[in-house]
């Protein structure tokens, strides 16, 4: 019974890791669409997210089945409840990549980004992909090195988000209101993407203690 | 055993409803701070959210205890898992009210809102309060009238958000980039607040069927 439970839990975690990878691929493709003004890439983000949504429904169903049939307790129970939260976070990461893709689509064939911030968004995109991949890795093996990289990358993302905000708000900003608004929204989507990766890592690392109030920074 | 379970589930739902009410009070006070340039109101939002956070930890603990001790199945199990999601949504609604309060604090003693959008934000604030109160009510008794009002209020919120976006993006916008950015972010916070109320109502109404993919509009 317990062996069967742990097998099913491993399968559940493999699905969660796959969800993070799909969210990483989505934000990578959305960033490509943003940087290279590629409508097709943006459209593909939106269609491929259906796979992520389907996987989320599978995870929710598997978690309910595990709870109903195996009635886990203690750390096993917390692992299943954590899985339900992680699925929700990974799904939302995909949703944020979709928001980025929709901005690309809305402005097409015009570029969203003024030239002087292309490098900054390329960097934010790379950070987001790393965060998603590291979250996947932490789910599978709880690797503390990857977990600590998530914390560092999240801080780097917050720094870039703040700098973007300052640049756009400054009197030297010459690209007008619509561009400023697109950039602030995009910055927020990347920053929220990072927050969800942090939440996933925190859930994995602290599910054994049941303490969900701590975060990775403590 | 089953009677005890249902008693505990009712207590859990009462806590969830209270969380929605607290989120409603938070967004009401944050909106007051925004409309009347009231720093004290904004600060109070931030301190009072600690009550919401504490209640969320209680709910998460109670849900785990219910799962571990009573091992519910079928609709009882889905109700407990729904509670965990609802707690997360209500907590996030409080977080969004806090974001509104932080914008008020950042600009103080200057007002955030140009005069010509004060009415619009007053309306968005009222909608947000109604949405939180209706979500609380739906949790307690599944009232379909309240649930359908949630759907209508969410649509009204989306309309106001879209109009705000159009106004700020138009060449007639005369209040500059920083004001435009504040307004777009505020609009997004109110709109996300509404989305979470919709998610809560959908979880309550469909928890008996286990179908979490449907939304209130279908």
């Amino acid at each position: 019974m317990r062996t069967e439970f742990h097998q099913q839990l491993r399968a559940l975690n493999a699905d969660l890791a796959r969800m993070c990878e799909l969210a990483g691929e989505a934000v990578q493709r959305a960033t490509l669409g943003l940087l290279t003004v590629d409508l097709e890439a943006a459209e593909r983000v939106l269609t491929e997210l259906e796979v992520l949504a389907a996987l989320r429904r599978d995870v929710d169903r598997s978690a309910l089945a595990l709870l109903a049939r195996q009635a886990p307790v203690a750390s096993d129970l917390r692992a299943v409840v954590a899985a339900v939260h992680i699925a929700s976070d990974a799904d939302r990461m995909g949703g944020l990549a979709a928001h980025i893709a929709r901005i690309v689509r809305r402005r097409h064939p015009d570029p969203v980004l003024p030239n002087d911030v292309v490098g900054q968004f390329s960097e934010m995109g790379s950070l987001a992909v790393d965060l998603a991949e590291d979250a996947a890795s932490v789910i599978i093996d709880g690797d503390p090195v990857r977990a600590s990289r998530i914390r560092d990358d999240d801080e780097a993302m917050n720094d870039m988000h703040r700098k973007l905000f300052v640049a756009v708000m400054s009197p030297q900003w010459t690209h007008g209101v619509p561009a400023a608004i697109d950039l602030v929204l995009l910055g927020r989507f990347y920053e929220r993407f990072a927050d969800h990766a942090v939440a996933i890592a925190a859930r994995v690392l602290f599910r054994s203690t049941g303490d969900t109030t701590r975060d990775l920074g403590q």
Side-chain angles (χ1 to χ4, degrees), chain A:
Chain A
M1 187 76 161
R2 290 298 96 183
T3 312
E4 193 190 333
F5 173 81
H6 285 111
Q7 258 171 7
Q8 290 170 344
L9 187 60
R10 263 197 303 279
L12 194 63
N13 281 332
D15 280 347
L16 292 173
R18 182 75 196 120
M19 285 186 74
C20 289
E21 284 163 6
L22 287 170
E25 288 165 23
V27 79
Q28 186 163 38
R29 195 162 285 129
T31 305
L32 179 75
L34 187 64
L35 299 175
T36 64
V37 197
D38 181 343
L39 180 62
E40 200 189 324
E43 297 282 8
R44 254 184 81 189
V45 173
L46 299 172
T47 54
E48 290 186 359
L49 279 182
E50 286 163 26
V51 182
L52 185 58
L55 202 48
R56 197 234 164 127
R57 287 192 291 274
D58 287 350
V59 166
D60 281 350
R61 260 194 298 269
S62 301
L64 277 174
L66 264 180
L67 291 171
R69 289 191 205 130
Q70 311 262 6
V73 294
S75 67
D76 287 345
L77 171 59
R78 287 195 293 270
V80 181
V81 172
V84 167
H85 283 291
I86 290 170
S88 166
D89 280 307
D91 195 19
R92 187 74 199 133
M93 287 163 80
L96 290 160
H99 281 335
I100 296 168
R102 278 192 207 98
I103 290 186
V104 174
R105 189 170 65 178
R106 194 193 303 147
R107 294 284 167 236
H108 196 82
D110 294 325
V112 179
L113 303 179
N115 274 335
D116 46 353
V117 296
V118 167
Q120 208 164 334
F121 276 92
S122 168
E123 175 68 15
M124 290 172 92
S126 294
L127 284 170
V129 174
D130 287 349
L131 281 157
E133 286 172 357
D134 284 340
S137 173
V138 169
I139 288 168
I140 295 298
D141 61 13
D143 182 346
V145 176
R146 295 281 200 132
S148 108
R149 205 169 79 169
I150 287 180
R151 190 192 52 210
D152 294 346
D153 282 353
D154 178 54
E155 278 175 21
M157 188 74 97
N158 286 340
D159 278 349
M160 303 207 71
H161 185 227
R162 258 191 302 272
K163 276 182 204 153
L164 184 70
F165 217 84
V166 170
V168 162
M169 287 278 196
S170 89
Q172 280 77 46
W173 178 256
T174 56
H175 304 290
V177 173
I181 288 172
D182 281 346
L183 263 54
V184 164
L185 287 177
L186 285 170
R188 182 154 175 86
F189 298 149
Y190 281 103
E191 186 234 346
R192 290 294 298 155
F193 188 98
D195 288 344
H196 286 287
V198 170
I200 288 171
R203 288 222 170 258
V204 173
L205 296 181
F206 303 121
R207 69 189 163 195
S208 54
T209 66
D211 182 355
T212 58
T213 62
R214 292 169 66 187
D215 66 43
L216 277 181
Q218 291 177 322

